[in-house]
mmCIF file of all heavy atoms in Angstrom:
data_model
loop_
_atom_site.group_PDB
_atom_site.id
_atom_site.type_symbol
_atom_site.label_atom_id
_atom_site.label_comp_id
_atom_site.label_asym_id
_atom_site.label_seq_id
_atom_site.Cartn_x
_atom_site.Cartn_y
_atom_site.Cartn_z
ATOM 1 N N LEU C 42 -8.355 15.957 -10.730
ATOM 2 C CA LEU C 42 -7.204 15.340 -10.053
ATOM 3 C C LEU C 42 -7.286 15.509 -8.543
ATOM 4 O O LEU C 42 -6.937 14.597 -7.784
ATOM 5 C CB LEU C 42 -5.899 15.940 -10.572
ATOM 6 C CG LEU C 42 -5.330 15.340 -11.836
ATOM 7 C CD1 LEU C 42 -4.091 16.107 -12.275
ATOM 8 C CD2 LEU C 42 -4.987 13.888 -11.639
ATOM 9 N N GLY C 43 -7.722 16.672 -8.091
ATOM 10 C CA GLY C 43 -7.827 16.911 -6.651
ATOM 11 C C GLY C 43 -8.855 16.013 -5.988
ATOM 12 O O GLY C 43 -8.593 15.407 -4.947
ATOM 13 N N ILE C 44 -10.032 15.913 -6.602
ATOM 14 C CA ILE C 44 -11.074 15.048 -6.041
ATOM 15 C C ILE C 44 -10.649 13.591 -6.081
ATOM 16 O O ILE C 44 -10.820 12.851 -5.103
ATOM 17 C CB ILE C 44 -12.401 15.272 -6.800
ATOM 18 C CG1 ILE C 44 -12.936 16.671 -6.511
ATOM 19 C CG2 ILE C 44 -13.433 14.212 -6.429
ATOM 20 C CD1 ILE C 44 -14.075 17.081 -7.407
ATOM 21 N N TRP C 45 -10.068 13.189 -7.202
ATOM 22 C CA TRP C 45 -9.632 11.802 -7.352
ATOM 23 C C TRP C 45 -8.547 11.445 -6.325
ATOM 24 O O TRP C 45 -8.604 10.391 -5.679
ATOM 25 C CB TRP C 45 -9.115 11.614 -8.761
ATOM 26 C CG TRP C 45 -8.889 10.213 -9.211
ATOM 27 C CD1 TRP C 45 -9.178 9.076 -8.542
ATOM 28 C CD2 TRP C 45 -8.311 9.804 -10.444
ATOM 29 N NE1 TRP C 45 -8.819 7.993 -9.282
ATOM 30 C CE2 TRP C 45 -8.283 8.416 -10.459
ATOM 31 C CE3 TRP C 45 -7.816 10.503 -11.532
ATOM 32 C CZ2 TRP C 45 -7.766 7.701 -11.520
ATOM 33 C CZ3 TRP C 45 -7.318 9.785 -12.595
ATOM 34 C CH2 TRP C 45 -7.297 8.403 -12.585
ATOM 35 N N SER C 46 -7.574 12.319 -6.155
ATOM 36 C CA SER C 46 -6.494 12.015 -5.220
ATOM 37 C C SER C 46 -6.978 12.034 -3.766
ATOM 38 O O SER C 46 -6.535 11.217 -2.958
ATOM 39 C CB SER C 46 -5.332 12.985 -5.409
ATOM 40 O OG SER C 46 -5.718 14.295 -5.093
ATOM 41 N N MET C 47 -7.901 12.948 -3.431
ATOM 42 C CA MET C 47 -8.395 12.984 -2.059
ATOM 43 C C MET C 47 -9.225 11.747 -1.736
ATOM 44 O O MET C 47 -9.103 11.173 -0.646
ATOM 45 C CB MET C 47 -9.224 14.250 -1.813
ATOM 46 C CG MET C 47 -8.394 15.511 -1.773
ATOM 47 S SD MET C 47 -7.018 15.428 -0.613
ATOM 48 C CE MET C 47 -7.868 15.421 0.920
ATOM 49 N N MET C 48 -10.054 11.304 -2.693
ATOM 50 C CA MET C 48 -10.818 10.066 -2.463
ATOM 51 C C MET C 48 -9.875 8.875 -2.318
ATOM 52 O O MET C 48 -10.075 8.019 -1.452
ATOM 53 C CB MET C 48 -11.796 9.837 -3.612
ATOM 54 C CG MET C 48 -12.973 10.768 -3.584
ATOM 55 S SD MET C 48 -14.133 10.655 -4.958
ATOM 56 C CE MET C 48 -13.956 9.042 -5.604
ATOM 57 N N ALA C 49 -8.846 8.813 -3.137
ATOM 58 C CA ALA C 49 -7.898 7.707 -3.063
ATOM 59 C C ALA C 49 -7.098 7.744 -1.763
ATOM 60 O O ALA C 49 -6.813 6.690 -1.173
ATOM 61 C CB ALA C 49 -6.957 7.748 -4.262
ATOM 62 N N LEU C 50 -6.733 8.930 -1.305
ATOM 63 C CA LEU C 50 -6.016 9.035 -0.026
ATOM 64 C C LEU C 50 -6.894 8.588 1.138
ATOM 65 O O LEU C 50 -6.426 7.905 2.052
ATOM 66 C CB LEU C 50 -5.530 10.467 0.201
ATOM 67 C CG LEU C 50 -4.263 10.872 -0.532
ATOM 68 C CD1 LEU C 50 -4.050 12.375 -0.420
ATOM 69 C CD2 LEU C 50 -3.066 10.119 0.029
ATOM 70 N N ILE C 51 -8.177 8.959 1.106
ATOM 71 C CA ILE C 51 -9.092 8.526 2.166
ATOM 72 C C ILE C 51 -9.245 7.008 2.154
ATOM 73 O O ILE C 51 -9.209 6.362 3.201
ATOM 74 C CB ILE C 51 -10.449 9.242 2.012
ATOM 75 C CG1 ILE C 51 -10.288 10.719 2.339
ATOM 76 C CG2 ILE C 51 -11.507 8.604 2.893
ATOM 77 C CD1 ILE C 51 -11.475 11.573 1.968
ATOM 78 N N LEU C 52 -9.405 6.441 0.957
ATOM 79 C CA LEU C 52 -9.497 4.979 0.856
ATOM 80 C C LEU C 52 -8.201 4.311 1.300
ATOM 81 O O LEU C 52 -8.220 3.269 1.959
ATOM 82 C CB LEU C 52 -9.829 4.563 -0.566
ATOM 83 C CG LEU C 52 -11.255 4.835 -1.022
ATOM 84 C CD1 LEU C 52 -11.391 4.548 -2.504
ATOM 85 C CD2 LEU C 52 -12.232 4.012 -0.219
ATOM 86 N N HIS C 53 -7.071 4.893 0.942
ATOM 87 C CA HIS C 53 -5.776 4.341 1.321
ATOM 88 C C HIS C 53 -5.630 4.302 2.838
ATOM 89 O O HIS C 53 -5.204 3.293 3.410
ATOM 90 C CB HIS C 53 -4.655 5.172 0.699
ATOM 91 C CG HIS C 53 -3.280 4.747 1.094
ATOM 92 N ND1 HIS C 53 -2.672 3.632 0.572
ATOM 93 C CD2 HIS C 53 -2.391 5.280 1.961
ATOM 94 C CE1 HIS C 53 -1.475 3.504 1.094
ATOM 95 N NE2 HIS C 53 -1.286 4.492 1.948
ATOM 96 N N LEU C 54 -6.001 5.395 3.498
ATOM 97 C CA LEU C 54 -5.889 5.436 4.956
ATOM 98 C C LEU C 54 -6.876 4.477 5.613
ATOM 99 O O LEU C 54 -6.560 3.848 6.632
ATOM 100 C CB LEU C 54 -6.119 6.858 5.456
ATOM 101 C CG LEU C 54 -5.026 7.860 5.096
ATOM 102 C CD1 LEU C 54 -5.434 9.252 5.550
ATOM 103 C CD2 LEU C 54 -3.702 7.460 5.715
ATOM 104 N N GLY C 55 -8.085 4.343 5.036
ATOM 105 C CA GLY C 55 -9.068 3.408 5.592
ATOM 106 C C GLY C 55 -8.612 1.971 5.472
ATOM 107 O O GLY C 55 -8.741 1.185 6.421
ATOM 108 N N ILE C 56 -8.052 1.607 4.324
ATOM 109 C CA ILE C 56 -7.570 0.235 4.135
ATOM 110 C C ILE C 56 -6.368 -0.027 5.030
ATOM 111 O O ILE C 56 -6.226 -1.109 5.602
ATOM 112 C CB ILE C 56 -7.231 -0.007 2.650
ATOM 113 C CG1 ILE C 56 -8.516 -0.034 1.839
ATOM 114 C CG2 ILE C 56 -6.446 -1.295 2.469
ATOM 115 C CD1 ILE C 56 -8.284 -0.067 0.342
ATOM 116 N N LYS C 57 -5.502 0.975 5.180
ATOM 117 C CA LYS C 57 -4.330 0.806 6.049
ATOM 118 C C LYS C 57 -4.767 0.629 7.502
ATOM 119 O O LYS C 57 -4.201 -0.183 8.224
ATOM 120 C CB LYS C 57 -3.416 2.010 5.907
ATOM 121 C CG LYS C 57 -2.082 1.853 6.553
ATOM 122 C CD LYS C 57 -1.183 3.000 6.203
ATOM 123 C CE LYS C 57 0.172 2.787 6.831
ATOM 124 N NZ LYS C 57 1.089 3.868 6.510
ATOM 125 N N ARG C 58 -5.782 1.377 7.920
ATOM 126 C CA ARG C 58 -6.267 1.268 9.291
ATOM 127 C C ARG C 58 -6.907 -0.104 9.530
ATOM 128 O O ARG C 58 -6.731 -0.694 10.592
ATOM 129 C CB ARG C 58 -7.278 2.381 9.570
ATOM 130 C CG ARG C 58 -7.695 2.437 11.038
ATOM 131 C CD ARG C 58 -8.577 3.616 11.307
ATOM 132 N NE ARG C 58 -7.830 4.838 11.059
ATOM 133 C CZ ARG C 58 -8.393 6.020 10.893
ATOM 134 N NH1 ARG C 58 -9.712 6.136 10.923
ATOM 135 N NH2 ARG C 58 -7.662 7.097 10.689
ATOM 136 N N ILE C 59 -7.665 -0.596 8.551
ATOM 137 C CA ILE C 59 -8.280 -1.918 8.685
ATOM 138 C C ILE C 59 -7.209 -3.008 8.739
ATOM 139 O O ILE C 59 -7.323 -3.968 9.485
ATOM 140 C CB ILE C 59 -9.267 -2.171 7.533
ATOM 141 C CG1 ILE C 59 -10.488 -1.287 7.695
ATOM 142 C CG2 ILE C 59 -9.688 -3.634 7.472
ATOM 143 C CD1 ILE C 59 -11.427 -1.304 6.500
ATOM 144 N N GLY C 60 -6.143 -2.823 7.941
ATOM 145 C CA GLY C 60 -5.082 -3.819 7.920
ATOM 146 C C GLY C 60 -4.293 -3.877 9.219
ATOM 147 O O GLY C 60 -3.741 -4.918 9.560
ATOM 148 N N ASN C 61 -4.224 -2.781 9.956
ATOM 149 C CA ASN C 61 -3.491 -2.771 11.223
ATOM 150 C C ASN C 61 -4.256 -3.456 12.341
ATOM 151 O O ASN C 61 -3.666 -3.902 13.321
ATOM 152 C CB ASN C 61 -3.159 -1.339 11.623
ATOM 153 C CG ASN C 61 -2.053 -0.746 10.778
ATOM 154 O OD1 ASN C 61 -1.302 -1.468 10.123
ATOM 155 N ND2 ASN C 61 -1.969 0.564 10.750
ATOM 156 N N ASN C 62 -5.561 -3.575 12.228
ATOM 157 C CA ASN C 62 -6.367 -4.204 13.297
ATOM 158 C C ASN C 62 -6.338 -5.691 13.222
ATOM 159 O O ASN C 62 -6.062 -6.435 12.520
ATOM 160 C CB ASN C 62 -7.814 -3.726 13.229
ATOM 161 C CG ASN C 62 -7.895 -2.272 13.683
ATOM 162 O OD1 ASN C 62 -7.039 -1.808 14.396
ATOM 163 N ND2 ASN C 62 -8.934 -1.597 13.249
#
Side-chain angles (χ1 to χ4, degrees):
L42 275 176
I44 292 169
W45 192 5
S46 64
M47 289 307 291
M48 287 176 24
L50 280 170
I51 291 169
L52 287 172
H53 176 76
L54 291 175
I56 290 172
K57 190 172 182 179
R58 187 174 297 163
I59 290 171
N61 286 342
N62 288 337

